[in-house]
Amino acid sequence: MTDEPPLRRRPAESRTGNDAPHPPSTRPEPEAAGTAPTADGPVPLTAPRDGTPQPAATPDELADVVARFAAGTGPVALDAERASGYRYSQRAYLVQLRRAGAGTALIDPLPLPDLSALDTVIGEAEWVLHAASQDLPCLAEVGLRPRRLFDTELAARLAGFERVGLAALTEQLLGFSLEKHHSAADWSSRPLPESWLTYAALDVEMLIDLRDALDEELTRQGKSAWAAEEFAALVRTGARPPKVRAEPWRRTSGIHRVRGARAQARVRSLWYARDQIAARRDAAPGRVLPDSAIVAAAELDPKDEKTLLTLPGFGGRSVRRLARTWLAALDDARQLPDDALPVPPTVEGPPPPHRWAERDPVAAARLARCREVVVGVAGAHRLPPENLITPDSIRRLAWVPPEEVTEATVAETLRGLNARDWQITLLLPALAEALTDPPSTV
């Protein structure tokens, strides 16, 4: 449990079913949130209990935050705000923390890009984040790397909650409602409005209380050890940046409509031209040129500016200013020799499942049996199937099972696919049985 006195909680509606997660027995009093109680339903949480802090933006202000959090006790709640949809990078533009004895702190990482001093004083504490995999890479960029963590979203999934967003869980388990209307804001803008800072501070206000409620529920369901394995895996791998795709242009929205290698070369050429501009401007690629415009130009292949600017997505002033760039990219694709055109990508691992029956009916039957096992075990333990085992792992296992199918060889294969021990324990021996092909009747 944490060292910070929790906000007292108000009663919530009970969930049905003996195995449904039971909310904790205490609930917040409306006065603790600084708001008047509502006649029924959750209490709106509109202001942090200690007020909205101003972001630390100087070395002296950061040193004060470091001293406060060094003197604090218990877990540390953390969050980060990015500018997805506005900026090319996924860096943090605001870091929020809360700890018992330290209160809440906001830090502006633009003038303070190195927070390793803070990491030193909180590094051994348990860090509490919601959807940690989203924030760990950008926190690592500023020098913050957890040694232990508790992910409230992942904990909620393991506990069988259907709604696992921060606002939904805070409302259901703690009796407070959080507004999420600034979640898609441009956090790279300066100065940050006071209402945004309040929103950011509230994102960590209840995290430790929420952690305690979910920890209690995981313990009640006998899933604490499962969660510990998942959290440890996040610590090991969560801070890694996403893998760079070999051909990222193939993920252009609507590319399925583009027929022919030459037209796909136009998509590729426009995509890389846009990406260079977006990186240089530190702007989200879609704000430079939308995917729909790339697809339209690839389909029509305009040869002059007048024709190009009639296409959907090319009407904006900033896009029109780059007309020569887009036309040059299209011309580059036009000049490519045939042997330089895109070819179908080499698929690593098994083919798409809808092709299994045609290519290997025996493997398709194995996959169906394995999926049935996963769905059944997940349902029995109130888990989302994808949290019990990744769909890709099951596909790879069913496509190329161990040469000799035994519980030991299946377990070894799953470990090679990064499955955790608790997942393997739940799935064996039923998965080994599902992988055993019935005798041929031919």
Side-chain angles (χ1 to χ4, degrees):
M1 299 293 288
T2 63
D3 297 325
E4 184 170 22
L7 297 183
R8 292 166 60 193
R9 311 180 186 106
R10 61 193 296 275
E13 293 182 4
S14 61
R15 296 161 62 96
T16 59
N18 293 333
D19 293 329
H22 293 287
S25 58
T26 56
R27 294 288 179 265
E29 287 185 351
E31 292 78 10
T35 61
T38 56
D40 53 16
V43 178
L45 190 62
T46 58
R49 68 190 88 177
D50 305 322
T52 300
Q54 290 302 301
T58 68
D60 286 345
E61 291 169 344
L62 177 59
D64 177 67
V65 171
V66 170
R68 283 165 46 203
F69 277 76
T73 57
V76 180
L78 289 101
D79 190 27
E81 303 296 345
R82 300 180 303 281
S84 301
Y86 295 92
R87 295 291 180 176
Y88 185 84
S89 73
Q90 290 298 308
R91 66 168 298 174
Y93 286 95
L94 189 70
V95 176
Q96 308 101 278
L97 308 95
R98 183 172 181 83
R99 191 181 197 184
T104 297
L106 306 180
I107 301 174
D108 186 347
L110 294 184
L112 300 170
D114 182 4
L115 303 184
S116 56
L118 179 61
D119 182 82
T120 299
V121 301
I122 66 172
E124 299 307 318
E126 179 187 77
W127 295 13
V128 183
L129 297 96
H130 188 81
S133 60
Q134 297 181 19
D135 290 336
L136 288 178
C138 69
L139 291 175
E141 287 182 359
V142 296
L144 296 173
R145 294 176 178 270
R147 286 63 151 179
R148 294 185 295 131
L149 68 77
F150 189 105
D151 185 334
T152 50
E153 184 198 50
L154 183 50
R157 290 182 183 277
L158 295 177
F161 286 87
E162 293 183 2
R163 299 168 62 214
V164 297
L166 179 60
L169 290 171
T170 300
E171 181 174 322
Q172 183 171 352
L173 287 176
L174 304 179
F176 286 119
S177 64
L178 286 172
E179 293 292 339
K180 302 300 292 180
H181 51 278
H182 293 311
S183 60
D186 180 6
W187 289 91
S188 67
S189 63
R190 293 294 185 273
L192 292 171
E194 186 75 12
S195 62
W196 293 19
L197 298 177
T198 296
Y199 164 91
L202 288 174
D203 265 359
V204 293
E205 178 81 4
M206 305 297 294
L207 263 184
I208 295 176
D209 285 345
L210 187 59
R211 174 244 181 258
D212 289 345
L214 287 166
D215 184 54
E216 178 182 325
E217 184 56 38
L218 289 170
T219 300
R220 189 189 71 80
Q221 294 187 28
K223 297 176 178 178
S224 294
W226 305 355
E229 285 192 53
E230 293 299 305
F231 300 157
L234 272 174
V235 169
R236 290 193 302 271
T237 64
R240 298 175 186 170
K243 290 183 179 180
V244 178
R245 292 180 177 272
E247 295 182 302
W249 60 273
R250 291 190 182 275
R251 294 180 64 82
T252 303
S253 179
I255 195 174
H256 62 279
R257 302 202 308 268
V258 180
R259 304 298 182 185
R262 184 69 61 179
Q264 290 192 347
R266 294 192 284 270
V267 173
R268 180 177 65 185
S269 188
L270 285 167
W271 191 97
Y272 280 110
R274 177 186 70 175
D275 195 64
Q276 290 177 357
I277 295 168
R280 186 172 67 246
R281 292 180 176 179
D282 190 17
R287 299 178 75 84
V288 175
L289 185 69
D291 281 7
S292 58
I294 290 178
V295 169
E299 290 180 311
L300 186 62
D301 190 21
K303 309 296 192 300
D304 57 74
E305 185 172 330
K306 181 179 179 181
T307 306
L308 176 75
L309 297 182
T310 63
L311 297 180
F314 286 92
R317 183 171 57 184
S318 63
V319 175
R320 290 199 307 269
R321 284 202 299 262
L322 293 167
R324 291 185 180 179
T325 300
W326 311 132
L327 289 171
L330 289 167
D331 188 60
D332 288 344
R334 209 174 291 124
Q335 301 301 321
L336 287 174
D338 288 348
D339 60 4
L341 297 178
V343 296
T346 302
V347 178
E348 295 184 4
H354 67 272
R355 296 184 178 175
W356 284 38
E358 176 186 346
R359 292 186 56 177
D360 190 337
V362 174
R366 272 198 307 267
L367 179 62
R369 295 194 301 271
C370 289
R371 283 176 164 173
E372 186 177 353
V373 168
V374 171
V375 170
V377 173
H381 293 278
R382 298 185 56 84
L383 291 167
E386 64 273 16
N387 287 109
L388 175 58
I389 192 74
T390 64
D392 181 66
S393 295
I394 288 297
R395 286 194 295 269
R396 290 177 182 272
L397 182 66
W399 185 250
V400 185
E403 187 171 332
E404 181 184 1
V405 176
T406 66
E407 290 186 30
T409 60
V410 172
E412 182 181 1
T413 302
L414 288 173
R415 288 192 182 92
L417 295 169
N418 297 317
R420 260 70 77 186
D421 286 344
W422 72 270
Q423 297 170 321
I424 296 170
T425 299
L426 289 184
L427 289 168
L428 293 176
L431 197 54
E433 182 178 348
L435 287 166
T436 302
D437 297 324
S440 174
T441 58
V442 180

